[in-house]
Amino acid sequence: MLRVIVRRLLQLVVTLIALSALIFIWLRNLPGGPVDALLGERATPQNRALLTKALGYDQPIMVQYAKFMQRVLTGDFGNSIRTGDAVTEVIGRAFPATIELALAAMIIAVGLGVPLGYLAARFRGRLLDNLSIAGTLLGISIPIFFLGYLLKDVFTQNIHWFPPSGRLSTGLDNTNVTGFFVLDGLLTREFDATADALWHLILPALTLATIPLAVIVRMTRASVLDVLNEDYVRTAEAKGLRHKTIRGRHILRNALLPVVTTIGLQTGALLSGAVLTEKVYNWGGLGTLITDSISGGRDYPVLQALILLAAMVFVVVNLLVDLSYAVIDPRVRVR
């Protein structure tokens, strides 16, 4: 197991180095580039030449990259072009919002998806199975932005069950300890703030959970159907084992490997930034930061750090998925 962890961590380092080089070279060769983004309307040839030399952009690209990596290794990603704040501070303010939203969405998707997929497989061809197939097709095919605006219109404008946007009601006092508003309310014993944060979280999380929920239901159903036809399940039934034991030890546990892989991939995608959902609900996470960095003046330092962060999230999630294989299936530990 230790060998697997070390190998995955080495892969993480190699992946991040290769990706950082590609991002660095790509951003430096985009039309306009960081110099024009910094100067804006003052981008005269003389000013461009002076700033290019001051920033070291007149040096060979590999020299620039080496200096960039030296700063990155010390945690210095530079300053935002838009705000002038350190990139780590800009991302640090947005990252908790995306984590909170993504985790809530995955709790909904996994909590509903695995049981629904299992029941659909157990009652194959019946009403529940047909409804689950139709529901998953609908969930995958509806665009997120359309579903978000639809739910927002119904539940915030018509029946007023949920707030229309934001993470917390205006004027509500909440001490920002971790950036996770639900957790902050619990830590500071401001339970009104916790309830309000959950109230704001429900509708965006339901919107974001639709596609992962549909994928998990379909994957669980297919995986359970494969396991139901295995000889060891029929043998367990012939032995007269309890249905609870057969379901938990022989069916679900063996069907979980592809489901865990799907959950890991979906989690990585959500943590990288749910752009459309955050825009619809004005959530203020990484998705909003990405769009603002692109449309609000080509904020290259922030974009570099965000892409590297997204890659790191994917690799770390895949590492956790690989480790979970050994917990679910002992045969993986033997191999």
Side-chain angles (χ1 to χ4, degrees), residues 162-235:
F162 299 104
S165 62
R167 300 179 61 196
L168 207 63
S169 296
T170 304
L172 187 63
D173 184 24
N174 181 39
T175 305
N176 192 345
V177 179
T178 64
F180 302 93
F181 286 180
V182 175
L183 179 61
D184 287 345
L186 294 174
L187 292 176
T188 58
R189 297 183 179 275
E190 296 175 0
F191 300 115
D192 290 342
T194 300
D196 189 77
L198 286 172
W199 187 42
H200 282 75
L201 181 61
I202 291 173
L203 205 56
L206 285 173
T207 303
L208 190 59
T210 51
I211 292 179
L213 173 60
V215 173
I216 291 171
V217 170
R218 296 297 293 268
M219 182 58 69
T220 305
R221 177 183 180 275
S223 185
V224 170
L225 285 176
D226 288 340
V227 173
L228 286 174
N229 295 322
E230 295 291 339
D231 291 337
Y232 55 79
V233 175
R234 289 193 288 268
T235 301

Side-chain angles (χ1 to χ4, degrees), residues 131-177:
L131 288 175
S132 69
I133 292 175
T136 54
L137 288 174
L138 187 64
I140 293 174
S141 60
I142 295 180
I144 281 291
F145 70 90
F146 173 75
L147 179 63
Y149 282 118
L150 180 64
L151 294 178
K152 190 174 179 179
D153 182 66
V154 172
F155 291 102
T156 69
Q157 303 298 327
N158 293 330
I159 59 178
H160 306 288
W161 282 5
F162 299 104
S165 62
R167 300 179 61 196
L168 207 63
S169 296
T170 304
L172 187 63
D173 184 24
N174 181 39
T175 305
N176 192 345
V177 179

